[in-house]
mmCIF file of all heavy atoms in Angstrom:
data_model
loop_
_atom_site.group_PDB
_atom_site.id
_atom_site.type_symbol
_atom_site.label_atom_id
_atom_site.label_comp_id
_atom_site.label_asym_id
_atom_site.label_seq_id
_atom_site.Cartn_x
_atom_site.Cartn_y
_atom_site.Cartn_z
ATOM 1 N N VAL J 1 -3.248 -5.305 15.468
ATOM 2 C CA VAL J 1 -3.865 -5.902 14.276
ATOM 3 C C VAL J 1 -2.870 -6.787 13.536
ATOM 4 O O VAL J 1 -3.211 -7.876 13.070
ATOM 5 C CB VAL J 1 -4.423 -4.806 13.348
ATOM 6 C CG1 VAL J 1 -4.819 -5.376 11.994
ATOM 7 C CG2 VAL J 1 -5.620 -4.125 14.006
ATOM 8 N N PHE J 2 -1.619 -6.324 13.444
ATOM 9 C CA PHE J 2 -0.605 -7.112 12.745
ATOM 10 C C PHE J 2 -0.378 -8.459 13.436
ATOM 11 O O PHE J 2 -0.307 -9.507 12.788
ATOM 12 C CB PHE J 2 0.717 -6.340 12.696
ATOM 13 C CG PHE J 2 1.845 -7.111 12.067
ATOM 14 C CD1 PHE J 2 1.870 -7.342 10.703
ATOM 15 C CD2 PHE J 2 2.868 -7.622 12.854
ATOM 16 C CE1 PHE J 2 2.909 -8.070 10.126
ATOM 17 C CE2 PHE J 2 3.898 -8.343 12.293
ATOM 18 C CZ PHE J 2 3.920 -8.572 10.917
ATOM 19 N N ILE J 3 -0.303 -8.442 14.771
ATOM 20 C CA ILE J 3 -0.034 -9.670 15.515
ATOM 21 C C ILE J 3 -1.239 -10.597 15.508
ATOM 22 O O ILE J 3 -1.103 -11.815 15.324
ATOM 23 C CB ILE J 3 0.380 -9.338 16.957
ATOM 24 C CG1 ILE J 3 1.733 -8.626 16.971
ATOM 25 C CG2 ILE J 3 0.446 -10.604 17.815
ATOM 26 C CD1 ILE J 3 2.156 -8.131 18.338
ATOM 27 N N THR J 4 -2.430 -10.046 15.716
ATOM 28 C CA THR J 4 -3.620 -10.882 15.892
ATOM 29 C C THR J 4 -4.338 -11.215 14.603
ATOM 30 O O THR J 4 -5.226 -12.066 14.603
ATOM 31 C CB THR J 4 -4.618 -10.178 16.831
ATOM 32 O OG1 THR J 4 -5.024 -8.926 16.241
ATOM 33 C CG2 THR J 4 -4.009 -9.934 18.194
ATOM 34 N N SER J 5 -3.995 -10.572 13.519
ATOM 35 C CA SER J 5 -4.710 -10.803 12.264
ATOM 36 C C SER J 5 -3.775 -11.235 11.152
ATOM 37 O O SER J 5 -3.786 -12.380 10.717
ATOM 38 C CB SER J 5 -5.484 -9.543 11.855
ATOM 39 O OG SER J 5 -6.187 -9.757 10.658
ATOM 40 N N GLU J 6 -2.949 -10.310 10.695
ATOM 41 C CA GLU J 6 -2.134 -10.590 9.515
ATOM 42 C C GLU J 6 -1.048 -11.631 9.784
ATOM 43 O O GLU J 6 -0.753 -12.471 8.928
ATOM 44 C CB GLU J 6 -1.494 -9.293 9.003
ATOM 45 C CG GLU J 6 -2.502 -8.164 8.770
ATOM 46 C CD GLU J 6 -3.670 -8.586 7.901
ATOM 47 O OE1 GLU J 6 -3.447 -9.287 6.891
ATOM 48 O OE2 GLU J 6 -4.822 -8.235 8.231
ATOM 49 N N LEU J 7 -0.440 -11.610 10.967
ATOM 50 C CA LEU J 7 0.632 -12.548 11.273
ATOM 51 C C LEU J 7 0.140 -13.982 11.296
ATOM 52 O O LEU J 7 0.878 -14.925 10.972
ATOM 53 C CB LEU J 7 1.271 -12.196 12.627
ATOM 54 C CG LEU J 7 2.631 -12.845 12.938
ATOM 55 C CD1 LEU J 7 3.672 -12.433 11.892
ATOM 56 C CD2 LEU J 7 3.097 -12.444 14.331
ATOM 57 N N LEU J 8 -1.143 -14.173 11.649
ATOM 58 C CA LEU J 8 -1.701 -15.515 11.716
ATOM 59 C C LEU J 8 -1.857 -16.154 10.340
ATOM 60 O O LEU J 8 -2.036 -17.367 10.230
ATOM 61 C CB LEU J 8 -3.060 -15.467 12.432
ATOM 62 C CG LEU J 8 -2.999 -15.129 13.925
ATOM 63 C CD1 LEU J 8 -4.395 -15.023 14.505
ATOM 64 C CD2 LEU J 8 -2.201 -16.186 14.677
ATOM 65 N N LEU J 9 -1.807 -15.337 9.290
ATOM 66 C CA LEU J 9 -1.888 -15.898 7.938
ATOM 67 C C LEU J 9 -0.702 -16.808 7.646
ATOM 68 O O LEU J 9 -0.810 -17.784 6.903
ATOM 69 C CB LEU J 9 -1.925 -14.762 6.903
ATOM 70 C CG LEU J 9 -3.214 -13.934 6.836
ATOM 71 C CD1 LEU J 9 -3.017 -12.763 5.902
ATOM 72 C CD2 LEU J 9 -4.376 -14.796 6.379
ATOM 73 N N ILE J 10 0.451 -16.479 8.222
ATOM 74 C CA ILE J 10 1.659 -17.263 7.985
ATOM 75 C C ILE J 10 1.530 -18.657 8.605
ATOM 76 O O ILE J 10 2.017 -19.647 8.060
ATOM 77 C CB ILE J 10 2.895 -16.539 8.549
ATOM 78 C CG1 ILE J 10 3.040 -15.160 7.911
ATOM 79 C CG2 ILE J 10 4.162 -17.353 8.354
ATOM 80 C CD1 ILE J 10 4.141 -14.316 8.521
ATOM 81 N N THR J 11 0.854 -18.748 9.752
ATOM 82 C CA THR J 11 0.746 -20.019 10.468
ATOM 83 C C THR J 11 -0.451 -20.842 10.036
ATOM 84 O O THR J 11 -0.646 -21.950 10.517
ATOM 85 C CB THR J 11 0.649 -19.744 11.978
ATOM 86 O OG1 THR J 11 -0.537 -18.963 12.246
ATOM 87 C CG2 THR J 11 1.860 -18.973 12.461
ATOM 88 N N ASP J 12 -1.268 -20.323 9.124
ATOM 89 C CA ASP J 12 -2.479 -21.019 8.675
ATOM 90 C C ASP J 12 -3.394 -21.339 9.855
ATOM 91 O O ASP J 12 -3.846 -22.465 10.052
ATOM 92 C CB ASP J 12 -2.123 -22.294 7.908
ATOM 93 C CG ASP J 12 -3.318 -22.803 7.064
ATOM 94 O OD1 ASP J 12 -4.266 -22.020 6.890
ATOM 95 O OD2 ASP J 12 -3.276 -23.950 6.607
ATOM 96 N N TYR J 13 -3.629 -20.320 10.669
ATOM 97 C CA TYR J 13 -4.544 -20.432 11.803
ATOM 98 C C TYR J 13 -5.913 -20.890 11.285
ATOM 99 O O TYR J 13 -6.407 -20.345 10.287
ATOM 100 C CB TYR J 13 -4.643 -19.072 12.488
ATOM 101 C CG TYR J 13 -5.412 -19.037 13.776
ATOM 102 C CD1 TYR J 13 -5.028 -19.817 14.865
ATOM 103 C CD2 TYR J 13 -6.513 -18.202 13.912
ATOM 104 C CE1 TYR J 13 -5.724 -19.770 16.059
ATOM 105 C CE2 TYR J 13 -7.207 -18.144 15.103
ATOM 106 C CZ TYR J 13 -6.819 -18.932 16.173
ATOM 107 O OH TYR J 13 -7.505 -18.884 17.345
ATOM 108 N N PRO J 14 -6.557 -21.903 11.918
ATOM 109 C CA PRO J 14 -7.793 -22.490 11.375
ATOM 110 C C PRO J 14 -8.866 -21.480 11.000
ATOM 111 O O PRO J 14 -9.498 -21.597 9.946
ATOM 112 C CB PRO J 14 -8.262 -23.396 12.524
ATOM 113 C CG PRO J 14 -7.011 -23.792 13.219
ATOM 114 C CD PRO J 14 -6.109 -22.584 13.138
ATOM 115 N N MET J 15 -9.086 -20.475 11.848
ATOM 116 C CA MET J 15 -10.147 -19.507 11.569
ATOM 117 C C MET J 15 -9.846 -18.686 10.320
ATOM 118 O O MET J 15 -10.737 -18.134 9.689
ATOM 119 C CB MET J 15 -10.320 -18.581 12.783
ATOM 120 C CG MET J 15 -11.577 -17.716 12.714
ATOM 121 S SD MET J 15 -11.905 -16.853 14.268
ATOM 122 C CE MET J 15 -10.598 -15.649 14.306
ATOM 123 N N TYR J 16 -8.559 -18.607 9.939
ATOM 124 C CA TYR J 16 -8.158 -17.803 8.795
ATOM 125 C C TYR J 16 -7.824 -18.656 7.563
ATOM 126 O O TYR J 16 -7.285 -18.146 6.589
ATOM 127 C CB TYR J 16 -6.925 -16.959 9.149
ATOM 128 C CG TYR J 16 -7.209 -15.859 10.135
ATOM 129 C CD1 TYR J 16 -7.016 -16.070 11.498
ATOM 130 C CD2 TYR J 16 -7.665 -14.613 9.708
ATOM 131 C CE1 TYR J 16 -7.281 -15.047 12.406
ATOM 132 C CE2 TYR J 16 -7.921 -13.602 10.611
ATOM 133 C CZ TYR J 16 -7.729 -13.833 11.960
ATOM 134 O OH TYR J 16 -7.988 -12.838 12.865
ATOM 135 N N HIS J 17 -8.142 -19.961 7.607
ATOM 136 C CA HIS J 17 -7.720 -20.850 6.525
ATOM 137 C C HIS J 17 -8.287 -20.402 5.167
ATOM 138 O O HIS J 17 -7.538 -20.279 4.178
ATOM 139 C CB HIS J 17 -8.149 -22.283 6.825
ATOM 140 C CG HIS J 17 -7.735 -23.260 5.770
ATOM 141 N ND1 HIS J 17 -6.413 -23.615 5.568
ATOM 142 C CD2 HIS J 17 -8.455 -23.935 4.837
ATOM 143 C CE1 HIS J 17 -6.338 -24.470 4.567
ATOM 144 N NE2 HIS J 17 -7.566 -24.686 4.110
ATOM 145 N N ALA J 18 -9.591 -20.172 5.113
ATOM 146 C CA ALA J 18 -10.204 -19.762 3.845
ATOM 147 C C ALA J 18 -9.658 -18.405 3.396
ATOM 148 O O ALA J 18 -9.420 -18.183 2.200
ATOM 149 C CB ALA J 18 -11.724 -19.700 3.998
ATOM 150 N N TYR J 19 -9.471 -17.515 4.364
ATOM 151 C CA TYR J 19 -8.931 -16.188 4.065
ATOM 152 C C TYR J 19 -7.518 -16.308 3.498
ATOM 153 O O TYR J 19 -7.147 -15.628 2.543
ATOM 154 C CB TYR J 19 -8.950 -15.349 5.342
ATOM 155 C CG TYR J 19 -8.387 -13.953 5.218
ATOM 156 C CD1 TYR J 19 -8.686 -13.152 4.121
ATOM 157 C CD2 TYR J 19 -7.568 -13.429 6.221
ATOM 158 C CE1 TYR J 19 -8.172 -11.865 4.010
ATOM 159 C CE2 TYR J 19 -7.058 -12.145 6.128
ATOM 160 C CZ TYR J 19 -7.368 -11.380 5.023
ATOM 161 O OH TYR J 19 -6.857 -10.111 4.914
ATOM 162 N N ARG J 20 -6.724 -17.220 4.083
ATOM 163 C CA ARG J 20 -5.354 -17.417 3.631
ATOM 164 C C ARG J 20 -5.328 -17.915 2.185
ATOM 165 O O ARG J 20 -4.518 -17.451 1.369
ATOM 166 C CB ARG J 20 -4.650 -18.413 4.551
ATOM 167 C CG ARG J 20 -3.173 -18.634 4.246
ATOM 168 C CD ARG J 20 -2.551 -19.479 5.352
ATOM 169 N NE ARG J 20 -1.118 -19.639 5.150
ATOM 170 C CZ ARG J 20 -0.565 -20.679 4.541
ATOM 171 N NH1 ARG J 20 -1.335 -21.639 4.057
ATOM 172 N NH2 ARG J 20 0.749 -20.758 4.404
ATOM 173 N N LEU J 21 -6.192 -18.860 1.860
ATOM 174 C CA LEU J 21 -6.265 -19.366 0.494
ATOM 175 C C LEU J 21 -6.667 -18.267 -0.486
ATOM 176 O O LEU J 21 -6.155 -18.196 -1.613
ATOM 177 C CB LEU J 21 -7.264 -20.531 0.421
ATOM 178 C CG LEU J 21 -6.876 -21.799 1.184
ATOM 179 C CD1 LEU J 21 -7.984 -22.841 1.070
ATOM 180 C CD2 LEU J 21 -5.556 -22.355 0.662
ATOM 181 N N GLN J 22 -7.591 -17.391 -0.048
ATOM 182 C CA GLN J 22 -8.019 -16.289 -0.911
ATOM 183 C C GLN J 22 -6.882 -15.296 -1.124
ATOM 184 O O GLN J 22 -6.699 -14.761 -2.222
ATOM 185 C CB GLN J 22 -9.220 -15.573 -0.283
ATOM 186 C CG GLN J 22 -9.911 -14.573 -1.198
ATOM 187 C CD GLN J 22 -10.532 -15.259 -2.395
ATOM 188 O OE1 GLN J 22 -11.422 -16.097 -2.245
ATOM 189 N NE2 GLN J 22 -10.082 -14.906 -3.586
ATOM 190 N N VAL J 23 -6.109 -15.044 -0.081
ATOM 191 C CA VAL J 23 -4.957 -14.146 -0.180
ATOM 192 C C VAL J 23 -3.956 -14.673 -1.195
ATOM 193 O O VAL J 23 -3.436 -13.922 -2.035
ATOM 194 C CB VAL J 23 -4.283 -13.971 1.200
ATOM 195 C CG1 VAL J 23 -2.902 -13.342 1.053
ATOM 196 C CG2 VAL J 23 -5.160 -13.112 2.106
ATOM 197 N N ILE J 24 -3.692 -15.962 -1.164
ATOM 198 C CA ILE J 24 -2.745 -16.567 -2.106
ATOM 199 C C ILE J 24 -3.258 -16.440 -3.536
ATOM 200 O O ILE J 24 -2.500 -16.113 -4.462
ATOM 201 C CB ILE J 24 -2.499 -18.045 -1.741
ATOM 202 C CG1 ILE J 24 -1.794 -18.137 -0.383
ATOM 203 C CG2 ILE J 24 -1.667 -18.741 -2.825
ATOM 204 C CD1 ILE J 24 -1.679 -19.550 0.157
ATOM 205 N N ALA J 25 -4.552 -16.666 -3.723
ATOM 206 C CA ALA J 25 -5.134 -16.586 -5.064
ATOM 207 C C ALA J 25 -5.117 -15.162 -5.617
ATOM 208 O O ALA J 25 -4.976 -14.959 -6.829
ATOM 209 C CB ALA J 25 -6.566 -17.116 -5.033
ATOM 210 N N ASP J 26 -5.234 -14.183 -4.728
ATOM 211 C CA ASP J 26 -5.323 -12.780 -5.159
ATOM 212 C C ASP J 26 -3.994 -12.035 -5.056
ATOM 213 O O ASP J 26 -3.967 -10.807 -5.136
ATOM 214 C CB ASP J 26 -6.360 -12.036 -4.300
ATOM 215 C CG ASP J 26 -7.776 -12.516 -4.558
ATOM 216 O OD1 ASP J 26 -8.025 -13.036 -5.657
ATOM 217 O OD2 ASP J 26 -8.615 -12.376 -3.652
ATOM 218 N N ARG J 27 -2.900 -12.755 -4.905
ATOM 219 C CA ARG J 27 -1.624 -12.111 -4.601
ATOM 220 C C ARG J 27 -1.176 -11.114 -5.671
ATOM 221 O O ARG J 27 -0.480 -10.149 -5.362
ATOM 222 C CB ARG J 27 -0.531 -13.154 -4.376
ATOM 223 C CG ARG J 27 -0.249 -14.060 -5.551
ATOM 224 C CD ARG J 27 0.750 -15.151 -5.175
ATOM 225 N NE ARG J 27 1.038 -16.071 -6.251
ATOM 226 C CZ ARG J 27 0.290 -17.115 -6.577
ATOM 227 N NH1 ARG J 27 -0.814 -17.360 -5.891
ATOM 228 N NH2 ARG J 27 0.629 -17.914 -7.574
ATOM 229 N N HIS J 28 -1.576 -11.300 -6.950
ATOM 230 C CA HIS J 28 -1.147 -10.384 -8.013
ATOM 231 C C HIS J 28 -1.723 -8.982 -7.815
ATOM 232 O O HIS J 28 -1.127 -7.989 -8.237
ATOM 233 C CB HIS J 28 -1.547 -10.931 -9.383
ATOM 234 C CG HIS J 28 -3.023 -11.106 -9.563
ATOM 235 N ND1 HIS J 28 -3.757 -12.063 -8.870
ATOM 236 C CD2 HIS J 28 -3.917 -10.427 -10.343
ATOM 237 C CE1 HIS J 28 -5.025 -11.973 -9.222
ATOM 238 N NE2 HIS J 28 -5.145 -11.002 -10.097
#
């Protein structure tokens, strides 16, 4: 899960782009 899901957030993988933006907004 770490390799195929969470790690891809760092690379801004296209399928996770919206998710990545939401993660940044909710970081607090």
Side-chain angles (χ1 to χ4, degrees):
V1 169
F2 176 72
I3 293 174
T4 61
S5 181
E6 307 308 318
L7 195 60
L8 292 176
L9 289 173
I10 302 174
T11 61
D12 198 14
Y13 187 59
M15 191 170 70
Y16 290 94
H17 181 70
Y19 178 43
R20 184 172 184 265
L21 294 178
Q22 190 64 62
V23 166
I24 295 172
D26 292 335
R27 61 186 179 277
H28 61 292

